[in-house]
Amino acid sequence: MFAFRIGKWVVQVILLALLSPISVFSQKTFLSLSALNDSADHYLPRLLEKKALLNSASAYIIETRNQFLPAFRFNDQVNIGSDNSTAGSYFSYGIIPSTSSGVRVANDYQAVSGNLAVLYGEYDLVDFGYKNALISYAKSEQALSQSDLQREMYILHGRICRTYFNLMISEARMVVEKETVKRYDTIFNIISALTRSGIKPGSDSSLAKAELSKSRITYNQINERAKNYREEISYLTGVSPDQILTDSVLMLIGKRKNILQTPADTLVNPLIDYYANLSKVYISNERLISKSYLPKIMLTAASWARGSSIAYDDQYKSIPDGLGYQRFNYLAGVSFQYDLFSGLHKKDRLKTFGFEREASELELKQQQISLASATRQAQNSIDITEKNLLELPIQYKSAVDTYNQKIAQYKAGIITLIDLTNAAFVLDRSLNDYAETTGNWYLAQLDKAIATGNLAGFIQSIQ
């Protein structure tokens, strides 16, 4: 016969007794939230992708610095062909071959050979801050990649925590529903005995059997949700679903752990830091644009050697005579380069990127407003949930007393089966309220931690 015994600490005693079906899990090792998140950090391809992009951004800083090393190029060419030229100037456009000398009365197509070796170097003596601006821009891109990785990890950790608590709630409700199945099974057995003795009609037995079947269906539905939550955690962390165990005791006894309470940290909140770094990228880019249109002062130097099968007196020699080096030269100079229309181009580009920077600043402001609102909403949920948790023991004790009375009244023939099943439903709901309300308290604390940038401390509190 199903019965409840109420004592001074009835709520916690009975609810702890309900946990006997899951005592098997206590022998296994519980993976903490911190361990699950650490596993995700080294497993999920999405995070590994972000880490690769961060490494790329770091490598780009080194590449940018090396761009400003002196440039030295060596070229050597051996040629054979004719040497016919005429007086006059022209633009070569880089594709017209050059001929030297060869100004004669008529064309001479006799083949001549030539050899030319050149060592050319150049270096930016003064760039008016362009180098530092470009390196600063590369560093801002690296900082953005770093904050993007941190934001992705932050969102992932929040998702794992949320799924973890939903799994805790579902597993606690499974315990409740398992006890509900037993309760209805007991009711069914009582009614069957009364029906066989002729005290109760057969319809009561059929109705009790329907309620028993309904409770089994509810249990299976909750079990399905729990399996899906466990599978999602496995997908995010790479941990086998069989190794993912939660402490559903907390959900059933209304016990709450001491959550780390710290003020909102907007300076290191990854959800804000990303947008702050995005604005810095646009600011760095504007500075780079301004510096890229300034003049350049360059040092240029070259040394070259040349040979030809045509002698100084315009006499053609054999082809092999032009393969050696016969003349040697060097040249050095300082050049000043500036586009006279740079001011106009700079103004156009700065105007374009100025609007993008403004958009990024507004995006940052929107994120700050959203997180501030989310923090207030989470605190409202915490306050209301804590008030509800104070009512749960009263609700539960009253439900137990009512159910025990209805059992006795039904046996005495005072009430109908509907009254008894209603009492059983209220008791079932009070137990589920423990799991859901406690779970909602944890979820609200999670929302607050995410919005205030304190997720890492929150995760450490849930051990």
Side-chain angles (χ1 to χ4, degrees):
M1 178 178 176
F2 187 81
F4 287 95
R5 296 182 180 178
I6 306 298
K8 183 178 180 181
W9 305 104
V10 61
V11 175
Q12 292 192 5
V13 172
I14 293 181
L15 289 172
L16 285 173
L18 293 177
L19 298 178
S20 57
I22 59 170
S23 59
V24 177
F25 294 112
S26 63
Q27 301 175 0
K28 297 184 179 181
T29 302
F30 281 74
L31 288 176
S32 65
L33 267 179
S34 179
L36 290 173
N37 283 297
D38 288 341
S39 178
D41 292 344
H42 299 88
Y43 165 76
L44 197 65
R46 177 65 175 173
L47 289 185
L48 300 180
E49 172 195 346
K50 296 293 183 179
K51 291 178 181 179
L53 292 175
L54 174 59
N55 292 335
S56 175
S58 301
Y60 180 67
I61 296 178
I62 299 175
E63 177 189 349
T64 301
R65 287 197 178 99
N66 293 338
Q67 287 180 15
F68 295 93
L69 294 174
F72 286 99
R73 293 187 290 274
F74 177 77
N75 177 273
D76 185 274
Q77 53 181 292
V78 177
N79 306 303
I80 185 170
S82 61
D83 182 43
N84 297 305
S85 185
T86 186
S89 301
Y90 59 89
F91 293 103
S92 67
Y93 296 111
I95 60 173
I96 302 176
S98 173
T99 58
S100 59
S101 187
V103 180
R104 303 182 184 87
V105 176
N107 289 324
D108 187 344
Y109 295 104
Q110 182 179 348
V112 296
S113 62
N115 191 4
L116 178 64
V118 179
L119 178 62
Y120 174 83
E122 62 182 21
Y123 178 70
D124 293 343
L125 286 178
V126 182
D127 59 13
F128 299 96
Y130 175 74
K131 173 184 176 181
N132 292 334
L134 187 58
I135 294 176
S136 177
Y137 176 74
K139 289 181 178 180
S140 66
E141 286 283 2
Q142 181 198 38
L144 181 63
S145 294
Q146 177 69 45
S147 61
D148 187 31
L149 171 61
Q150 294 299 324
R151 181 184 66 158
E152 195 73 29
M153 293 174 63
Y154 196 79
I155 293 174
L156 173 63
H157 292 173
R159 180 179 174 183
I160 292 174
C161 290
R162 192 175 305 280
T163 308
Y164 183 84
F165 288 130
N166 283 327
L167 176 60
M168 290 175 69
I169 295 172
S170 295
E171 290 188 337
R173 289 196 60 199
M174 284 173 61
V175 175
V176 172
E177 290 303 324
K178 199 166 187 177
E179 291 300 318
T180 301
V181 171
K182 292 181 179 178
R183 187 179 304 114
Y184 279 113
D185 188 53
T186 301
I187 293 173
F188 175 73
N189 292 333
I190 293 173
I191 295 173
S192 297
L194 294 174
T195 301
R196 285 193 298 270
S197 63
I199 300 175
K200 293 292 181 181
S203 59
D204 281 8
S205 176
S206 299
L207 181 58
K209 191 172 184 180
E211 291 294 337
L212 174 61
S213 179
K214 180 182 177 181
S215 63
R216 288 170 178 168
I217 292 174
T218 302
Y219 175 85
N220 292 335
Q221 290 173 338
I222 298 174
N223 187 26
E224 177 190 6
R225 286 198 293 271
K227 287 182 177 180
N228 288 336
Y229 286 136
R230 188 174 281 106
E231 174 57 35
E232 182 176 357
I233 296 176
S234 176
Y235 156 72
L236 296 173
T237 63
V239 177
S240 172
D242 296 336
Q243 295 180 300
I244 301 172
L245 305 174
T246 63
D247 188 5
S248 56
V249 173
L250 296 177
M251 303 296 108
L252 285 172
I253 64 177
K255 182 179 179 182
R256 290 156 287 162
K257 293 189 175 184
N258 292 324
I259 304 299
L260 180 65
Q261 299 293 337
T262 55
D265 193 349
T266 57
L267 296 179
V268 295
N269 189 337
L271 298 179
I272 293 179
D273 191 48
Y274 171 80
Y275 295 100
N277 280 298
L278 182 60
S279 294
K280 291 178 182 179
V281 167
Y282 284 114
I283 294 173
S284 296
N285 194 31
E286 287 182 332
R287 181 169 177 265
L288 176 61
I289 291 172
S290 298
K291 297 296 183 180
S292 64
Y293 287 101
L294 294 177
K296 286 185 179 181
I297 299 177
M298 300 182 63
L299 172 65
T300 306
S303 176
W304 68 99
R306 187 177 180 186
S308 176
S309 63
I310 301 179
Y312 67 93
D313 56 359
D314 205 29
Q315 296 298 314
Y316 283 71
K317 295 184 178 182
S318 64
I319 296 297
D321 289 335
L323 301 181
Y325 300 121
Q326 302 162 4
R327 297 291 185 269
F328 302 89
N329 295 283
Y330 63 89
L331 181 67
V334 177
S335 64
F336 178 86
Q337 300 179 9
Y338 181 68
D339 182 358
L340 296 179
F341 290 94
S342 291
L344 178 61
H345 298 321
K346 181 176 72 173
K347 180 180 178 181
D348 292 340
R349 290 197 67 191
L350 286 177
K351 185 176 182 180
T352 300
F353 281 94
F355 286 123
E356 293 186 2
R357 176 181 54 80
E358 182 182 357
S360 69
E361 291 173 351
L362 292 172
E363 196 171 14
L364 171 60
K365 186 176 181 180
Q366 177 64 47
Q367 185 71 359
Q368 291 172 333
I369 294 174
S370 298
L371 292 178
S373 176
T375 302
R376 292 190 294 268
Q377 292 181 48
Q379 187 60 53
N380 290 337
S381 298
I382 292 171
D383 294 341
I384 297 301
T385 303
E386 288 180 344
K387 291 180 180 179
N388 292 338
L389 286 170
L390 296 176
E391 298 294 331
L392 287 177
I394 301 173
Q395 176 192 10
Y396 177 75
K397 185 178 183 304
S398 299
V400 171
D401 292 341
T402 300
Y403 177 75
N404 288 333
Q405 291 173 6
K406 295 300 180 181
I407 281 282
Q409 290 174 355
Y410 180 78
K411 291 180 180 179
I414 301 175
I415 62 173
T416 64
L417 179 60
I418 294 178
D419 296 322
L420 177 58
T421 55
N422 285 341
F425 172 78
V426 171
L427 177 57
D428 177 54
R429 186 181 64 188
S430 67
L431 292 172
N432 277 292
D433 284 347
Y434 258 102
E436 293 180 355
T437 306
T438 308
N440 289 337
W441 183 85
Y442 276 98
L443 290 173
Q445 291 284 2
L446 171 63
D447 290 336
K448 182 180 178 181
I450 292 174
T452 56
N454 298 314
L455 181 58
F458 174 83
I459 292 174
Q460 291 299 323
S461 302
I462 310 298
Q463 296 290 354

